[in-house]
Amino acid sequence: MNPIEPLVIKLAETRLDEAGVKKLAEHYAALDWLNKARELQPNDSEFLIELAGRSCYKSFGVGINPNVTRIRENPKDYLTNVLEKGDGSILEHATVTFGFLNVSRVFTHEIVRHRAGTAMSQESLRYVRPRGISLWVPPDLGQASNKFSEAIEEIEQRYHDLENQFDWETMSFDEKKRVTSALRRILPDGIATNLIWTANHRTIRWVIEMRTHPSAEVEIRKVFGEVAEICMRDYPLLYADFSRKKQDDGTTQYVPKFSKV
Ligand SMILES: Cc1cc2nc3c(=O)[nH]c(=O)nc-3n(C[C@H](O)[C@H](O)[C@H](O)COP(=O)(O)OP(=O)(O)OC[C@H]3O[C@@H](n4cnc5c(N)ncnc54)[C@H](O)[C@@H]3O)c2cc1C
């Protein structure tokens, strides 16, 4: 057994096409606004969300829409108001892609329950034949963790015994795939896997709230605690209302002031 730790990596995020944004601003006669606004808000994701929101009311400046007599010029005021009002649909325009590495199939089984606004690609245990069992040992096991590791090593041994019943060198790829898939049925839920996960900010806010709650499973809380830290660092206005709440077990819950925007 190879003991490992779950790892969270940010892989990608929304990027603006500056030429396209300029064209849009020209269309709305909002070039003056654009020049000022881009200086105030260099963050592409937060800017795109603000742009989408302002396009709804043409609130790029006073007078563009005759009904608008004042606007919130500061991006912080603008986005805080969006969160306060719960106008969360515009948060769906910007996404982040994460690599969740060394996570268990317990974790992936739970994260797939969040359907809205997500995309997932998970390592295949039909195609990939594991060389051994890599696994995160949950701290809750305490003194029983030795016995736990022994049990995993026994499964690992039995897996290899079964694997050795087949002559892999002579098998076609399709045969290998079928047998690999049959063999995986004895592998534990805790076996490490990798998942690429993309979600929009409306979804990420919701999943952080649900999955760092003390009632959630310990591994998913750990992973989404890291996601929360990355998002609070990289999108400070979109996550400005989140606060950290230390728990007795040393973990942290991330609580938004405005739930489920
Ligand atoms: C602590 C904890 C314990 C859990 N225990 C269990 C358990 O024992 N068994 C179990 O089966 N699940 C369990 N779950 C999973 C839970 O029931 C949800 O399936 C999961 O959290 C996904 O959340 P969501 O329903 O908000 O969906 P998401 O996909 O995250 O969607 C976000 C929101 O979009 C809206 N939405 C999404 N899809 C639809 C739709 N089709 N129709 C209408 N509105 C939609 C809803 O308002 C929803 O809240 C648990 C979750 C947590 C956090």
Side-chain angles (χ1 to χ4, degrees):
M1 185 193 104
N2 173 32
I4 40 90
E5 284 286 318
L7 187 63
V8 176
I9 303 172
K10 179 175 152 185
L11 294 172
E13 64 184 342
T14 293
R15 202 181 84 190
L16 285 181
D17 181 327
E18 300 285 353
V21 171
K22 194 166 169 221
K23 256 192 195 166
L24 186 98
E26 273 166 9
H27 174 83
Y28 283 113
L31 278 176
D32 283 353
W33 170 82
L34 176 63
N35 295 332
K36 272 188 265 164
R38 200 65 179 120
E39 239 171 71
L40 289 171
Q41 179 50 284
N43 184 305
D44 279 13
S45 298
E46 292 183 341
F47 188 86
L48 178 64
I49 288 166
E50 183 179 337
L51 188 70
R54 288 190 188 277
S55 70
C56 297
Y57 300 159
K58 288 193 174 176
S59 55
F60 295 104
V62 174
I64 297 176
N65 167 3
N67 284 343
V68 171
T69 53
R70 68 184 180 92
I71 62 161
R72 289 178 181 80
E73 297 206 359
N74 188 301
K76 184 171 191 316
D77 296 340
Y78 186 86
L79 287 180
T80 303
N81 185 53
V82 165
L83 297 176
E84 248 173 43
K85 285 200 310 178
D87 285 346
S89 65
I90 55 172
L91 269 63
E92 295 175 18
H93 289 291
T95 64
V96 189
T97 300
F98 293 97
F100 296 144
L101 309 184
N102 291 343
V103 291
S104 69
R105 285 185 168 247
V106 175
F107 169 92
T108 57
H109 192 73
E110 292 189 343
I111 196 62
V112 296
R113 299 301 303 279
H114 295 282
R115 309 138 292 168
T118 62
M120 279 162 249
S121 304
Q122 182 173 356
E123 184 179 301
S124 167
L125 262 187
R126 289 174 70 214
Y127 282 82
V128 180
R129 180 157 43 102
R131 292 186 186 279
I133 300 180
S134 293
L135 185 139
W136 175 65
V137 181
D140 298 323
L141 289 168
Q143 290 196 336
S145 60
N146 283 344
K147 281 262 170 237
F148 178 86
S149 300
E150 277 171 30
I152 298 296
E153 274 157 20
E154 211 175 304
I155 297 172
E156 195 171 35
Q157 189 51 53
R158 299 294 292 269
Y159 181 84
H160 288 314
D161 290 347
L162 276 167
E163 194 185 16
N164 289 336
Q165 302 300 307
F166 297 87
D167 184 4
W168 296 90
E169 296 301 319
T170 60
M171 286 159 74
S172 70
F173 192 75
D174 187 54
E175 284 165 340
K176 284 185 198 169
K177 204 171 80 183
R178 292 174 74 122
V179 176
T180 302
S181 189
L183 291 180
R184 70 171 157 167
R185 282 156 209 280
I186 69 157
L187 293 171
D189 253 6
I191 191 170
T193 184
N194 301 311
L195 179 81
I196 307 299
W197 189 75
T198 302
N200 68 56
H201 286 286
R202 190 183 204 184
T203 294
I204 297 173
R205 284 178 55 96
W206 175 234
V207 182
I208 289 173
E209 180 181 352
M210 287 209 91
R211 298 301 182 170
T212 65
H213 191 276
S215 62
E217 216 271 340
V218 63
E219 184 187 12
I220 203 164
R221 283 173 65 199
K222 189 176 160 68
V223 170
F224 273 88
E226 289 188 40
V227 169
E229 289 295 337
I230 291 171
C231 289
M232 287 161 83
R233 180 195 69 199
D234 292 355
Y235 315 101
L237 300 187
L238 292 176
Y239 295 84
D241 61 321
F242 273 82
S243 57
R244 297 175 183 84
K245 203 169 155 192
K246 277 269 170 228
Q247 302 298 307
D248 291 342
D249 64 359
T251 60
T252 306
Q253 180 187 4
Y254 294 79
V255 188
K257 185 171 170 201
F258 309 110
S259 175
K260 209 173 192 188
V261 293

